């Protein structure tokens, strides 16, 4: 058997790197094909990487906590007696990244270089000993020897500098004190990166409307028991919003599209993502082909997705497949708000709290449950009128929800 | 303190030991007249032809007589005029002198000292310029002394003569006429004890024989560059003062070993191995060896200088370990 490389698979459109959480197997362990070798964390989920073949783990090339780009080799599986030329795998970080967008690739290469250095720190034996004895991470020290080798003098300089720094901090009371430094989780960092990019690159505009939710409430009440019997959960406002948005999107295909390199890719299926708030961040699992589903089916699927989102057990495709997003903060005391587009989608609907408000109907002031909604749209893909017509159609559908059944 | 030459210091050692112990006698080619390097010159006047005796040009016989006479309780100090010719008496030295004490279960001892000069003299050709310390270092049962100064020459030779084991006493031709301070009266330099000639914190230069003076000169140049080197002379290769070498390495973290013999299979390789086995975690740079090139020593003076270690090469090696 030839040695088999175990690499980081590409698990989604926006995935570029994965962080190695934990190795389940060690060098020398036997593995069966399909057994979990190690666990990774991507921007979306935690995922177990399985052995592609049976054999013996010949080498593990990364450390726990390392970020490895898609395609990066993490482990080698081979026969027990096989000699594996590990030198071949050194300095191969850049491979398997051809598909990545240019800007991100550059960013990753910097990370890779640093990590390569981390894996093979050049340091003299006495420098290693000093670092070991004093608990210093050699990767923090800049080497002054040949090829950047860390020498004893560098460790001594580092110790002097650290000690000097410590004194300066004590002497300088004018700075605000830091109570805690939180390193972003991979998820948090991804949210930050993707939404920054969305906000920077996609020119959004927002449209607002108010929707009379009387009939939606009535629908929920009248179907409550029967849907609960079928779906195992009561029909929620979100279910009706999902179905409504999905049906209306059929008529507005540009809002169910994404922009890739100056090409608008109109998507065939309509999968409505629902933003779910977790303690550690936001996740948007999507109800598949929501326009084709009955309300009870949507309710059942929505409940399942939300439950599993909270347990961290979503599958990647469930998060990646969304084509349009609904963000509902109705459970909070928020009347209306706007959202940032969930890239690479074109539209996102923001739904505020349902509030009883006086409104004029047929010349009289009546009290109705009203929800304020906003639609954020990528102006590169659609213009105001298209967005407005979509929102109008959605409003009409929600105010006459029986047309959605 | 008075200054006498290396050759005079050796002669003093011989005379003192011959006076002290009548079993001590010297013999070899031209010892009566004190050729070729004058060490034995004049000894015959005091001790007579019974104890200072010329032999035919037959090295295996010289050492063979030494082995036999030491076996019956004498303390012979034969001279082999050039260490290159020790090849002729390898059986006597390595198979007999070195092993018979062991093979007799300690019943017989072999207190002989084979004196022989090694190294450069200057255009003496490939068969009269070798430095063969390492050959004898490899033979269990032999002690090997290589004095670098008149002081050590006298003190070490006296210790060697008093030792009950065969000692190869390998002198250096170019040192014979170099004077140095030697105290009046008796003193001994024990076998197996290194000497630090100069202390510096940046590197340890382990130098053997004539290389000690080259290393000392090199260290003066280096000091002008701000590099301070310790110059350490093991003085005896067997027994080797490992502790002193290791202690110095643990201070300086860098080692250069300088020997006049060739590099491959040399003394430097052995010392380097000791350092890496015992003090790897204290090294800040690879161990460097400065030695003769692996070629016969040329007759041509310019080529001879090229092949043998030089001050410049020592300087380069120290710079190299310091900047590594």
């Amino acid at each position: 058997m030839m040695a088999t490389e175990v690499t980081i698979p590409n698990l989604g459109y926006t995935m570029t790197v994965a962080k190695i959480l934990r190795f389940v197997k060690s060098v020398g362990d036997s593995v069966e094909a399909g057994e979990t070798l190690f666990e990774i964390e991507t921007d979306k989920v935690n995922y177990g990487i399985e052995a592609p073949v049976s054999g013996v783990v010949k080498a593990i090339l990364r450390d726990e906590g390392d970020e490895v780009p898609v395609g990066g080799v993490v482990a080698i599986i081979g026969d027990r007696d096989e000699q594996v030329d590990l030198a071949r795998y050194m300095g191969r970080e850049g491979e398997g990244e051809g598909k990545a967008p240019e800007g991100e690739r550059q960013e990753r290469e910097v990370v890779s270089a640093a990590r390569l250095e981390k894996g093979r720190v050049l340091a003299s034996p006495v420098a290693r000993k000093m670092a070991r004895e004093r608990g210093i991470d050699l990767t923090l020290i800049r080497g002054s020897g040949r090829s950047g080798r860390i020498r004893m003098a560098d460790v001594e300089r580092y110790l002097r500098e650290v000690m000097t720094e410590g004194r300066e901090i004590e002497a300088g009371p004018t700075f605000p004190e830091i109570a805690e430094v939180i390193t972003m989780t991979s998820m948090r960092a991804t949210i930050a990166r993707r939404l920054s990019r969305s906000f920077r690159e996609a020119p959004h505009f927002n449209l607002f409307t108010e929707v009379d939710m009387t009939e939606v409430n009535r629908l929920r009440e009248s179907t409550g028991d029967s849907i609960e019997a079928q779906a195992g959960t009561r029909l929620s406002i979100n279910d009706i919003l999902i179905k409504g948005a999905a049906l209306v999107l059929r008529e507005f295909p540009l809002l169910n599209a994404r922009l890739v390199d100056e090409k608008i890719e109109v998507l065939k299926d309509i999968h409505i993502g629902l933003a779910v708030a977790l303690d550690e961040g936001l996740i948007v699992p999507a109800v598949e082909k929501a326009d084709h589903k009955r309300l009870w089916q949507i309710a059942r699927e929505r409940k399942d997705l939300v439950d599993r989102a909270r347990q961290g057990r979503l599958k990647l495709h469930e998060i990646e497949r969304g084509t349009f997003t609904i963000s509902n903060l109705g459970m909070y005391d928020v009347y209306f708000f706007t959202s940032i587009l969930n890239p690479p989608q074109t539209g996102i609907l923001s739904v505020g709290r349902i509030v009883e408000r006086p409104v004029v109907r047929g010349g009289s002031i009546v009290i109705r449950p009203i929800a304020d909604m906003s639609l954020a749209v990528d102006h590169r893909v659609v213009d105001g009128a298209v967005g407005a017509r979509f929102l109008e159609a959605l409003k009409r559908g929600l105010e006459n929800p029986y047309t959605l059944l | 303190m008075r200054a006498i030459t290396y050759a005079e210091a050796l002669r003093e050692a011989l005379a003192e030991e011959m006076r002290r112990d009548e079993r001590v006698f010297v013999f070899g080619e031209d010892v009566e007249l004190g050729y070729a390097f004058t060490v034995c010159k004049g000894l015959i006047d005091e001790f007579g032809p019974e104890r200072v005796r010329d032999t035919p040009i037959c090295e295996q016989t010289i050492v063979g007589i030494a082995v036999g006479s030491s076996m019956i309780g004498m303390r012979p100090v034969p001279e082999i005029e050039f260490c290159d010719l020790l090849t002729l008496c390898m059986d006597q030295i390595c198979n007999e002198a070195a092993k018979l004490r062991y093979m007799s279960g300690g019943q017989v001892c072999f207190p002989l000292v084979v004196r022989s000069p090694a190294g450069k003299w200057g255009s003496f050709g490939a068969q009269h310029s070798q430095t063969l310390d390492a050959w004898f270092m490899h033979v269990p049962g032999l002690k090997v002394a290589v004095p670098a100064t008149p002081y050590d020459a006298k003190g070490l030779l006296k210790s060697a003569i008093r030792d009950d084991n065969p000692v190869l006493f390998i002198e250096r031709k170019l040192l014979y006429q170099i004077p140095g301070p030697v105290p009046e009266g008796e003193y001994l330099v024990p076998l197996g004890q290194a000497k630090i000639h100069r202390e510096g914190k940046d590197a340890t230069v382990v130098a053997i024989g004539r290389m000690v003076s080259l290393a000392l000169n090199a260290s003066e140049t280096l000091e002008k560059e701000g590099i301070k080197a310790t110059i350490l002379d093991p003085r005896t290769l067997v027994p080797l003062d490992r502790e002193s070498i290791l202690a110095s390495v643990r201070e300086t973290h860098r080692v250069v070993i300088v020997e006049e013999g060739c590099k491959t299979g040399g003394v430097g390789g052995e010392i380097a191995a000791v350092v890496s086995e015992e003090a790897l975690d204290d090294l800040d740079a690879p161990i460097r060896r400065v030695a003769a090139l692996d070629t016969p020593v040329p007759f041509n003076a310019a080529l001879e200088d090229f092949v043998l270690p030089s001050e410049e090469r020592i300087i380069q090696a120290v710079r190299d370990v310091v900047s590594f």
Side-chain angles (χ1 to χ4, degrees):
Chain A
M1 182 179 95
M2 285 281 289
T4 303
E5 300 172 2
V6 187
T7 58
I8 297 290
N10 191 348
L11 297 169
Y13 180 76
T14 57
M15 174 173 168
T16 56
V17 295
K19 185 170 169 182
I20 296 175
L21 287 181
R22 189 169 77 90
F23 282 100
V24 180
K25 298 284 180 182
S26 310
V27 172
D29 286 356
S30 295
V31 288
E32 294 297 318
E35 257 189 292
T36 301
L37 270 184
F38 56 92
E39 291 171 3
I40 58 169
E41 178 189 73
T42 73
D43 47 7
K44 298 288 171 48
V45 288
N46 296 351
Y47 198 84
I49 301 293
E50 295 170 353
V53 294
S54 299
V56 171
V57 180
K58 300 299 289 183
I60 287 176
L61 305 167
R62 306 305 185 129
D63 294 327
E64 288 179 359
D66 275 3
E67 291 203 333
V68 183
V70 169
V73 183
V74 176
I76 311 287
I77 296 177
D79 286 335
R80 183 159 291 283
D81 301 326
E82 189 175 354
Q83 292 291 316
V84 176
D85 177 13
L86 292 181
R88 275 184 56 215
Y89 298 100
M90 300 301 178
R92 283 187 42 172
E93 312 274 336
E95 290 195 10
E97 296 178 15
K99 289 162 283 187
E102 200 58 41
E104 291 197 355
R105 186 186 313 165
Q106 204 179 0
E107 183 189 351
R108 271 203 314 282
E109 275 169 4
V110 174
V111 174
S112 304
R115 195 173 42 247
L116 184 68
E117 230 175 0
K118 187 180 159 191
R120 306 161 51 207
V121 176
L122 276 179
S124 73
V126 70
R128 283 184 199 283
K129 185 176 85 166
M130 288 177 72
R132 194 166 63 234
E133 284 171 353
R134 294 171 206 203
I136 303 166
D137 180 358
L138 274 175
T139 59
L140 299 175
I141 303 177
R142 191 175 46 82
S144 65
R146 275 168 234 170
S147 313
R149 180 182 311 276
I150 298 167
R151 306 187 296 163
M152 190 180 67
D154 301 317
V155 182
E156 288 170 342
R157 176 178 44 74
Y158 177 82
L159 283 167
R160 272 197 310 277
E161 283 171 5
V162 168
M163 284 188 285
T164 315
E165 272 174 23
R167 276 203 300 280
E168 276 172 4
I169 287 170
E170 276 170 31
T174 52
F175 297 105
E177 282 184 43
I178 296 163
E180 191 187 1
V181 175
I182 300 167
T183 305
M184 278 192 171
T185 60
S186 181
M187 181 190 232
R188 191 77 247 158
T190 303
I191 290 170
R193 195 173 62 241
R194 294 178 72 230
L195 293 183
S196 301
R197 208 172 123 213
S198 169
F199 205 72
R200 197 168 59 238
E201 292 177 10
H204 301 45
F205 66 85
N206 286 283
L207 303 166
F208 304 93
T209 192
E210 56 174 33
V211 178
D212 184 338
M213 302 297 273
T214 309
E215 293 302 321
V216 167
N217 284 346
R218 192 169 290 160
L219 173 65
R220 287 184 65 205
E221 281 159 26
S222 62
T223 60
D225 293 340
S226 64
I227 286 196
E228 189 167 8
Q230 282 174 295
T233 182
R234 292 191 79 79
L235 190 66
S236 76
I237 303 281
N238 282 334
D239 302 331
I240 301 167
L241 287 168
I242 288 166
K243 175 78 180 182
L247 281 178
V248 177
L249 278 170
R250 279 183 175 178
E251 298 163 39
F252 296 89
L254 282 181
L255 280 166
N256 198 57
R258 63 187 181 202
L259 186 65
V260 178
D261 298 335
E262 301 204 338
K263 288 195 179 68
I264 297 168
E265 295 178 354
V266 177
L267 302 167
K268 195 169 150 210
D269 293 323
I270 296 169
H271 308 315
I272 304 294
L274 185 65
V276 178
L278 308 174
D279 286 344
E280 61 272 26
L282 194 65
I283 201 160
V284 190
V287 175
E288 194 179 15
K289 294 181 184 173
D291 55 325
H292 290 291
K293 289 200 167 120
R294 310 273 308 270
L295 274 174
W296 69 267
Q297 290 174 306
I298 291 173
R300 190 172 63 181
E301 191 173 334
R302 181 262 311 155
K303 180 178 190 302
D304 175 51
L305 290 171
V306 171
D307 286 350
R308 282 192 292 115
R310 301 227 156 98
Q311 296 157 4
R313 286 176 42 234
L314 286 173
K315 298 189 176 85
L316 261 161
H317 67 92
E318 292 169 337
I319 306 158
E320 288 288 341
R321 69 189 172 200
T323 61
F324 182 91
T325 296
I326 293 172
S327 178
N328 184 352
L329 293 180
M331 61 290 269
Y332 306 104
D333 196 12
V334 169
Y335 281 38
F336 74 87
F337 66 103
T338 63
S339 299
I340 297 170
L341 284 171
N342 182 18
Q345 297 170 17
T346 299
I348 183 167
L349 183 74
S350 311
V351 181
R353 184 181 172 197
I354 299 172
V355 185
E356 292 204 322
R357 269 188 220 155
V359 293
V360 179
R361 293 279 185 272
S364 313
I365 296 173
V366 293
I367 292 172
R368 290 290 170 91
I370 302 293
D372 284 324
M373 297 189 189
S374 75
L375 175 74
V377 173
D378 186 343
H379 210 332
R380 294 175 302 176
V381 180
V382 292
D383 298 327
V386 177
R389 288 212 302 280
F390 171 84
L391 198 56
E392 190 187 16
L394 179 64
K395 175 188 167 93
R396 202 165 50 237
L398 292 173
E399 289 179 350
N400 301 283
Y402 302 99
T403 60
L404 306 176
L405 299 178
Chain B
M1 197 187 294
R2 65 175 177 150
I4 59 173
T5 65
Y6 188 88
E8 286 165 345
L10 289 167
R11 193 186 309 135
E12 260 191 23
L14 287 170
E16 284 178 17
E17 290 309 302
M18 287 168 83
R19 277 177 217 136
R20 197 184 71 87
D21 186 341
E22 61 181 16
R23 294 171 299 173
V24 179
F25 69 107
V26 302
F27 59 111
E29 294 158 15
D30 301 323
V31 295
E32 291 176 16
L33 288 171
Y35 296 138
F37 299 101
T38 74
V39 172
C40 297
K41 190 175 182 182
L43 288 177
I44 194 166
D45 298 336
E46 182 178 349
F47 300 101
E50 280 291 309
R51 297 177 70 192
V52 181
R53 183 173 289 248
D54 275 348
T55 65
I57 304 179
C58 186
E59 282 78 8
Q60 58 267 60
T61 308
I62 297 171
V63 179
I65 290 167
V67 174
S69 57
S70 66
M71 196 174 187
I72 59 165
M74 301 296 283
R75 303 190 86 89
V77 188
E79 177 181 297
I80 302 296
E81 237 169 7
F82 287 82
C83 85
D84 315 74
L85 309 171
L86 287 169
T87 50
L88 294 164
C89 22
M90 286 304 263
D91 181 61
Q92 286 76 9
I93 295 171
C94 301
N95 287 331
E96 294 172 14
K99 295 188 173 74
L100 288 175
R101 186 170 184 182
Y102 172 84
M103 289 171 72
S104 69
Q107 295 180 78
V108 190
C109 62
F110 295 82
L112 66 119
V113 180
V114 180
R115 287 184 42 251
S116 191
K120 178 183 173 181
W121 178 238
S123 290
F124 255 44
Q127 296 172 332
H128 291 80
S129 304
Q130 298 175 79
T131 303
L132 302 177
D133 313 347
W135 291 14
F136 301 100
M137 202 180 172
H138 189 64
V139 180
L142 292 181
K143 294 186 177 179
V144 181
V146 185
T149 63
Y151 177 93
D152 290 345
K154 180 175 175 183
L156 279 172
L157 183 55
K158 285 165 71 76
S159 295
I161 291 170
R162 296 183 194 185
D163 200 289
D164 279 342
N165 296 288
V167 178
L168 258 286
F169 201 84
I170 309 181
E171 298 156 11
R172 290 296 191 262
K173 300 180 193 93
L174 277 182
L175 295 179
Y176 281 128
Q177 300 313 319
I178 307 286
V182 177
E184 309 268 1
E186 184 175 282
Y187 67 93
L188 294 173
V189 171
L191 303 176
Q193 200 173 91
K195 177 173 184 172
I196 289 173
H197 286 266
R198 184 188 182 110
E199 283 200 80
K201 60 176 178 30
D202 296 321
T204 297
V205 178
V206 179
I208 296 144
R210 185 170 68 89
M211 297 300 107
V212 173
S213 55
L214 264 63
L216 283 166
N217 290 344
S219 70
E220 280 171 23
T221 307
L222 287 162
E223 189 151 354
K224 288 177 194 138
E225 299 173 14
I227 299 170
K228 289 188 176 147
T230 288
I231 310 296
L232 182 150
D233 174 13
R235 298 198 285 195
T236 56
L237 301 178
V238 182
L240 183 66
D241 186 354
R242 300 154 69 104
E243 289 316 311
S244 293
I245 296 170
L246 293 170
S248 179
V249 170
R250 291 187 176 117
E251 292 284 313
T252 65
H253 310 286
R254 303 177 185 91
V255 195
V256 172
I257 304 153
V258 192
E259 63 174 313
E260 197 172 348
C262 21
K263 187 171 189 176
T264 301
V267 177
E270 173 61 25
I271 294 174
V274 168
V275 171
S276 65
E277 278 177 344
E278 304 287 334
L280 182 71
D281 273 345
D282 285 288
L283 289 176
D284 206 18
I287 302 163
R288 289 273 181 258
R289 290 179 285 163
V290 178
L293 304 185
D294 289 328
T295 130
V297 180
F299 171 81
N300 177 290
L303 289 176
E304 185 180 39
D305 284 341
F306 176 74
V307 163
L308 296 178
S310 62
E311 261 178 58
E312 190 47 45
R313 256 192 259 162
I314 298 169
I315 291 167
Q316 281 301 343
V318 174
R319 282 184 190 143
D320 184 60
V321 296
V322 169
S323 71
F324 191 82

